[in-house]
Amino acid sequence: MAVANVKKVGIIAHKKDKEKVVDFLYGTGLLEVTNWQGKAVKVEAVEAEEDTSQLEYKLSRAQFAIGFLEEYKGGEKVKLVDKLIGAKLPVSTSKVAKIAKEFPIDKVVGRCNELEEEINQKQSEIDSSTEEKELLEKWVSLDVKVDEARETKTTKAIFGMVGNEQYLAFIRELEKKVTQVDIRKVTNDEQKNYILVIFNKNFEREVSKILFKYGLEKVSLPSADKTPRELLEDLSERNKVHRKDIKKLKSETEKLAKKYLADLKVLFDHFTWQVDKSAVQKDFKETNSTFIVTGWMRKDDIKRIEKGLEKVTTNFVIEEMELEKGEEAPVVMSNSSFMQPFEAVTSIYGLPKSSEVDPTPFLSIFFIIFFGLCLTDAGYGLVLMTLTYLIIKVLKIPKEKQRLLRLLMYGGFVTFIVGVLTGGWFGIVLEDLPAGLDWLANGLMAVRLINPIENPIVMLGLSFALGYIHIIYGIAIDMWWKIKNGSVKDGILDSGTWIYFLLAMGFYGATAAGVLPESLKSISLYLLLAGVVVLILTQGRKQKNPIMKLLAGIGSLYGLVGYMSDILSYSRLLALGLATGVIAMVINLIAVMFKDMIPVVGWVFMVLIIIGGHIFNIVINVLGAYIHSGRLQFVEFFPKFFQGGGKIFRPFKRVSKYVDLKS
Amino acid sequence: MIGIALAICGAALAVGLAGTGSAIGMGIAGQAASGVVSEEPEKFGKALLMEALPGTQGIYGFLGGFWVIMKLDLLSGATPIDAATGLQFLFACLPIAIAGLSSGIFQGKVSAAGIGIIAKKPDESGKGIILSAMVETYAVLGLLATILLINGIQLGG
């Protein structure tokens, strides 16, 4: 329970065993390697291994090949479950070594490169031919070879387009002004006429003037000794060949993917590990014949590592080191498996510092009760509980990914209990159940202690009461922690007096509100006044000047406003609980309205609305309950005793993307 | 009948204004979310969650409006009330209407900024959610005030 004891350790071993030691540390993943700046012994920094960049290069090549082949891997279906939890390929260590040794990486990556280039090139040729095709299609009916319709000694030919409106005038003027001209209209569309103009070179100036006047757009056809139709046929022939080639190339790629993809992934992870292992050595220090690793390790693990290292090498020392000034150990939370799900809540806020108490076990019970109060529907609680249980069991979610689901499962259970006590059953109004279900309604009403819709004030009071307890609990943890760590005086005088004051306040409030007998009222008032006096006397004790002591003491009473506003914040429990219940009621109401409005089909609508509506309501309100219950911990509860801001423990550890390594 | 009309006006304000707040807020957050998703589609889930946060004001407003509907049996021939009672309903609806409108917009802005956290430090996105939920507090209090006020209104007086 609480924060694990993390120690700073140093390992010194013989250089010749370096690789084995690094391998071992990497495999166990229990040490966070740090860059040790110590000057106790004269040591030299290890020069970064030359081959780190070489390895990174290999890694990026493998990554490219995987990315390319992944697109062509074909029909192999990944099971949805595997996809959701990111299942990995189980591979043995020896197999990895074998693949690393034998895999023809250069050949495969090289071929992938060629294939990608060739496919892209052919594809882009096909894509760019569309334009040419459109151009040629207009000229299909021209039965002249394109090259023939060019310049000769005496004539010149121009392909062009003229707008429909100007066409007639254009021809008329051309034929009038130029005697030796041949105009051939090839085709026309909505806007333009496509023409071939052949004329005697002597008239070139006149012709070009007219062409300019009527805005003729020249067209340049690809030069070839062929008619446009033949060119078009060539083009589609070429594209056909290209498509066939691409198909062939793709099928080769698919074969490649089938054959090498799995191994490539193993190789990718292998390279990643190598890069990791080589990069970490930058933080090592070396002497002539030894090397030194420093880092953080849980105290419980030191023995294990020592035992393990003994099997690897005999020439080593492992030792706990003193913390330097201002140095803080990274933090690992370690809680019982029942409490572990609640670590998810704590880690939203941040990890505790290594010198702080882990708030996880303390917030757990309140978190889950508040969660239930925000939902207050036994039906929803049941759904949530069964659903999360089924997900964990049926999909076989691995333990380390269960945290959130387990938390929701607990939440569902508490919601069920709270729902039973407040009579929330899918928003059904128990009083309105049909007569035949009297027994059920009566039974459910019998266990219903409060009906929040009829009686919101009682629920509000309950919310405040829980807030009151929660806050005093928070201060009490602070007191306990301070006393445990030796600051007995601060613990009692700061936290203790406030606890006393808040308790006296609650006592007085209870008598004033008539919850406790009237006769206790005067006693409670004296207790409360005593609390005020004590606060004034104690809270200013750190000031030197006696007047300032008094003023600071009086000023500290203002802290009460803070506690009051904290407690008011718990009213959200009522509001969110009501929201869930009332939305559920509205859903049922709307569903029944549809049934009454539309005959026959109305039933279908009713069922759809009920199912869809309640799912929506559950999702929205589970989210709200989680967030707001968490907020009450972070904003109202934590500041009483907890700061957070611990560094996360990041062990030097094998992380793999594709492979699940079995030794 | 003016009494009923006033009460309906209150319900309409609660639903309409709080809904507007949510719509604007989700609009702001949604734009930021699309930006992140266009770069990293796999962050859709987280971005959607963040976008959904300013949506609760609309639900609270609807709830406030519905509380009026229930109290007055508006769905099955309304309980007749005088003008003064009608005004009471109208005013009782204002907390969630106003708080819903303003907090919806600002929660949307905080959510949009939180989507920035998703883009840069996805592991810390829980913190963005909490920051955004801080704004929602005032919509929750508004709803609470509305519910308690409506609950306290005496009918048939």
Side-chain angles (χ1 to χ4, degrees):
Chain A
M1 194 167 103
V3 178
N5 195 353
V6 176
K7 291 283 178 203
K8 189 173 175 185
V9 296
I11 301 171
I12 304 176
H14 201 275
K15 247 183 191 170
K16 71 174 182 349
D17 301 320
K18 187 152 91 177
E19 205 164 312
K20 281 191 275 178
V21 172
V22 170
D23 242 6
F24 169 76
L25 292 175
Y26 195 55
T28 47
L30 295 172
L31 178 76
E32 175 178 341
V33 176
T34 54
N35 190 343
W36 182 45
Q37 303 295 346
K39 293 181 186 88
V41 249
K42 192 171 177 258
V43 285
E44 292 154 20
V46 182
E47 277 188 24
E49 295 280 315
E50 281 171 82
D51 58 359
T52 306
S53 62
Q54 191 67 28
L55 282 168
E56 272 164 3
Y57 173 65
K58 279 189 190 166
L59 184 66
S60 73
R61 298 213 321 156
Q63 194 174 11
F64 154 75
I66 291 173
F68 175 64
L69 292 177
E70 195 83 22
E71 276 177 55
Y72 297 98
K73 77 175 172 204
E76 213 179 305
K77 282 252 162 56
V78 182
K79 268 194 287 174
L80 184 67
V81 187
D82 288 354
K83 218 173 174 180
L84 280 179
I85 62 170
K88 290 168 184 162
L89 192 71
V91 181
S92 69
T93 327
S94 54
K95 177 107 185 278
V96 173
K98 189 169 166 247
I99 290 171
K101 207 167 144 201
E102 292 170 5
F103 192 84
I105 173 91
D106 289 327
K107 196 183 111 198
V108 174
V109 174
R111 189 65 195 137
C112 283
N113 254 325
E114 285 166 22
L115 281 169
E116 189 188 34
E117 210 164 285
E118 233 172 304
I119 291 175
N120 283 347
Q121 188 209 340
K122 300 217 155 147
Q123 190 59 47
S124 76
E125 260 178 56
I126 292 178
D127 292 343
S128 67
S129 71
T130 346
E131 222 170 284
E132 206 178 337
K133 211 163 129 195
E134 270 167 23
L135 178 73
L136 283 170
E137 262 163 7
K138 297 291 180 197
W139 303 91
V140 162
S141 50
L142 188 73
D143 51 4
V144 183
K145 293 186 178 168
V146 180
D147 270 1
E148 281 174 17
R150 300 272 153 161
E151 213 166 334
T152 64
K153 248 183 210 159
T154 50
T155 66
K156 205 172 175 181
I158 289 174
F159 294 98
M161 306 178 286
V162 185
N164 283 344
E165 292 106 52
Q166 293 102 322
Y167 180 62
L168 280 177
F170 167 71
I171 297 204
R172 220 168 284 142
E173 186 160 348
L174 201 61
E175 281 178 342
K176 207 168 110 197
K177 294 241 173 95
V178 186
T179 42
Q180 293 174 335
V181 67
D182 177 24
I183 305 166
R184 208 179 293 178
K185 180 173 155 185
V186 181
T187 182
N188 66 318
D189 58 20
E190 280 107 70
Q191 285 120 31
K192 285 171 188 150
N193 281 286
Y194 295 78
I195 51 171
L196 170 61
V197 185
I198 302 174
F199 54 90
N200 188 318
K201 270 185 179 169
N202 296 336
F203 295 96
E204 191 159 359
R205 278 186 64 185
E206 283 88 345
V207 171
S208 55
K209 232 190 254 166
I210 296 169
L211 295 188
F212 183 73
K213 184 175 166 196
Y214 289 92
L216 177 126
E217 277 177 66
K218 284 187 190 168
V219 174
S220 57
L221 293 179
S223 75
D225 193 18
K226 284 176 178 164
T227 63
R229 179 180 299 279
E230 283 166 344
L231 278 173
L232 207 57
E233 275 160 11
D234 281 0
L235 206 60
S236 65
E237 187 59 32
R238 195 192 79 195
N239 282 353
K240 220 196 232 160
V241 174
H242 274 356
R243 283 206 188 89
K244 219 164 140 192
D245 285 351
I246 289 179
K247 211 171 160 195
K248 229 193 279 169
L249 291 170
K250 282 189 176 171
S251 86
E252 189 192 334
T253 318
E254 273 162 31
K255 266 185 220 142
L256 218 58
K258 207 176 231 169
K259 192 164 165 197
Y260 292 120
L261 189 55
D263 284 359
L264 255 176
K265 286 179 175 173
V266 176
L267 203 64
F268 174 86
D269 274 354
H270 172 75
F271 286 149
T272 314
W273 302 335
Q274 298 228 299
V275 169
D276 279 356
K277 280 192 272 189
S278 135
V280 80
Q281 296 186 16
K282 281 182 200 142
D283 288 334
F284 289 9
K285 294 277 157 64
E286 272 189 6
T287 63
N288 284 337
S289 50
T290 64
F291 70 96
I292 303 171
V293 194
T294 56
W296 303 102
M297 194 184 286
R298 291 168 61 151
K299 192 170 185 218
D300 310 347
D301 293 332
I302 297 179
K303 276 263 150 0
R304 268 178 64 197
I305 290 291
E306 197 170 354
K307 283 231 173 71
L309 272 176
E310 270 163 16
K311 281 180 203 152
V312 178
T313 165
T314 48
N315 306 322
F316 80 99
V317 181
I318 180 166
E319 208 162 75
E320 251 180 61
M321 294 165 71
E322 289 291 313
L323 289 192
E324 273 158 63
K325 214 176 168 192
E327 205 174 25
E328 274 205 52
V331 171
V332 201
M333 288 187 280
S334 82
N335 286 294
S336 64
S337 70
F338 180 75
M339 287 293 178
Q340 257 163 25
F342 295 99
E343 287 177 0
V345 181
T346 310
S347 43
I348 291 180
Y349 185 84
L351 289 174
K353 281 193 185 147
S354 55
S355 56
E356 270 186 324
V357 59
D358 177 6
T360 308
F362 303 111
L363 68 79
S364 60
I365 177 96
F366 283 99
F367 179 85
I368 215 72
I369 290 177
F370 294 161
F371 184 90
L373 278 170
C374 289
L375 285 174
T376 51
D377 191 299
Y380 288 0
L382 271 183
V383 170
L384 191 60
M385 192 165 62
T386 3
L387 221 59
T388 43
Y389 180 78
L390 285 180
I391 291 175
I392 292 174
K393 285 295 157 204
V394 173
L395 301 188
K396 296 201 182 65
I397 308 289
K399 188 120 195 184
E400 61 276 11
K401 295 195 176 163
Q402 283 178 11
R403 261 195 346 191
L404 186 59
L405 287 168
R406 291 245 310 273
L407 191 59
L408 291 178
M409 191 167 85
Y410 298 165
F413 178 69
V414 176
T415 305
F416 173 71
I417 292 176
V418 175
V420 168
L421 296 180
T422 55
W425 295 92
F426 293 109
I428 296 167
V429 183
L430 296 180
E431 285 81 357
D432 292 355
L433 278 178
L437 291 171
D438 266 351
W439 55 273
L440 182 63
N442 288 334
L444 294 181
M445 272 190 271
V447 290
R448 179 174 71 187
L449 298 182
I450 311 168
N451 183 352
I453 292 180
E454 300 267 298
N455 226 335
I457 301 296
V458 177
M459 270 311 258
L460 188 64
L462 182 70
S463 303
F464 286 153
L466 278 170
Y468 175 72
I469 298 170
H470 198 205
I471 282 173
I472 290 184
Y473 184 49
I475 308 175
I477 297 169
D478 189 42
M479 181 165 89
W480 165 72
W481 190 251
K482 276 182 184 157
I483 291 175
K484 197 178 158 203
N485 283 289
S487 357
V488 179
K489 197 169 115 197
D490 280 347
I492 291 174
L493 291 185
D494 281 338
S495 317
T497 46
W498 270 109
I499 293 174
Y500 167 74
F501 181 69
L502 289 176
L503 285 175
M505 187 95 182
F507 186 36
Y508 176 71
T511 52
V515 180
L516 290 174
E518 186 76 27
S519 55
L520 292 173
K521 195 167 174 181
S522 52
I523 303 175
S524 68
L525 189 59
Y526 289 130
L527 288 175
L528 181 62
L529 289 176
V532 172
V533 173
V534 171
L535 277 180
I536 293 175
L537 289 181
T538 56
Q539 299 304 296
R541 67 180 186 286
K542 281 181 185 152
Q543 301 287 342
K544 291 215 172 91
N545 184 332
I547 297 174
M548 287 308 289
K549 271 186 203 282
L550 189 67
L551 284 181
I554 294 172
S556 76
L557 289 179
Y558 187 72
L560 184 63
V561 177
Y563 290 120
M564 282 297 134
S565 72
D566 282 350
I567 291 176
L568 281 181
S569 179
Y570 290 78
S571 62
R572 76 185 65 233
L573 295 176
L574 165 67
L576 291 169
L578 278 180
T580 318
V582 175
I583 294 172
M585 259 168 67
V586 175
I587 291 165
N588 293 339
L589 207 74
I590 294 174
V592 173
M593 265 163 58
F594 263 88
K595 185 202 74 181
D596 293 342
M597 270 189 322
I598 316 168
V600 193
V601 196
W603 282 93
V604 181
F605 278 113
M606 184 179 83
V607 173
L608 287 180
I609 290 175
I610 285 183
I611 294 175
H614 284 299
I615 289 177
F616 166 79
N617 197 20
I618 290 180
V619 170
I620 280 283
N621 282 296
V622 164
L623 177 64
Y626 192 89
I627 294 172
H628 283 281
S629 180
R631 177 225 138 100
L632 286 177
Q633 315 299 327
F634 304 149
V635 183
E636 272 77 27
F637 187 51
F638 279 5
K640 308 289 174 289
F641 67 100
F642 178 71
Q643 284 183 336
K647 263 191 306 174
I648 299 176
F649 179 63
R650 295 184 198 280
F652 171 55
K653 184 170 144 185
R654 188 182 343 251
V655 179
S656 49
K657 195 167 169 193
Y658 303 108
V659 171
D660 179 15
L661 194 69
K662 304 260 186 252
S663 50
Chain B
M1 282 319 273
I2 190 78
I4 294 288
L6 285 170
I8 290 177
C9 175
L13 283 179
V15 180
L17 287 184
T20 308
S22 272
I24 298 176
M26 284 177 98
I28 296 169
Q31 290 171 9
S34 308
V36 171
V37 171
S38 67
E39 289 275 327
E40 293 167 281
E42 68 277 6
K43 286 185 178 159
F44 175 72
K46 278 184 174 165
L48 181 72
L49 181 70
M50 202 69 102
E51 189 196 343
L53 289 181
T56 34
Q57 278 81 355
I59 297 175
Y60 295 155
F62 178 73
L63 220 63
F66 194 77
W67 210 262
V68 176
I69 295 176
M70 278 205 316
K71 179 101 176 181
L72 291 176
D73 277 331
L74 285 179
L75 291 176
S76 47
T79 319
I81 51 173
D82 54 28
T85 319
L87 269 180
Q88 290 176 18
F89 274 101
L90 173 54
F91 290 141
C93 284
L94 290 185
I96 184 55
I98 299 169
L101 176 63
S102 59
S103 75
I105 296 171
F106 284 100
Q107 191 172 5
K109 291 184 176 172
V110 180
S111 279
I115 286 164
I117 301 183
I118 295 180
K120 289 178 191 154
K121 292 207 166 146
D123 292 343
E124 305 290 340
S125 48
K127 292 176 177 140
I129 294 177
I130 295 295
L131 290 177
S132 173
M134 296 297 289
V135 186
E136 194 175 307
T137 305
Y138 303 98
V140 175
L141 294 181
L143 172 66
L144 197 65
T146 295
I147 287 177
L148 292 178
L149 286 171
I150 294 175
N151 230 46
I153 295 174
Q154 302 289 327
L155 288 183

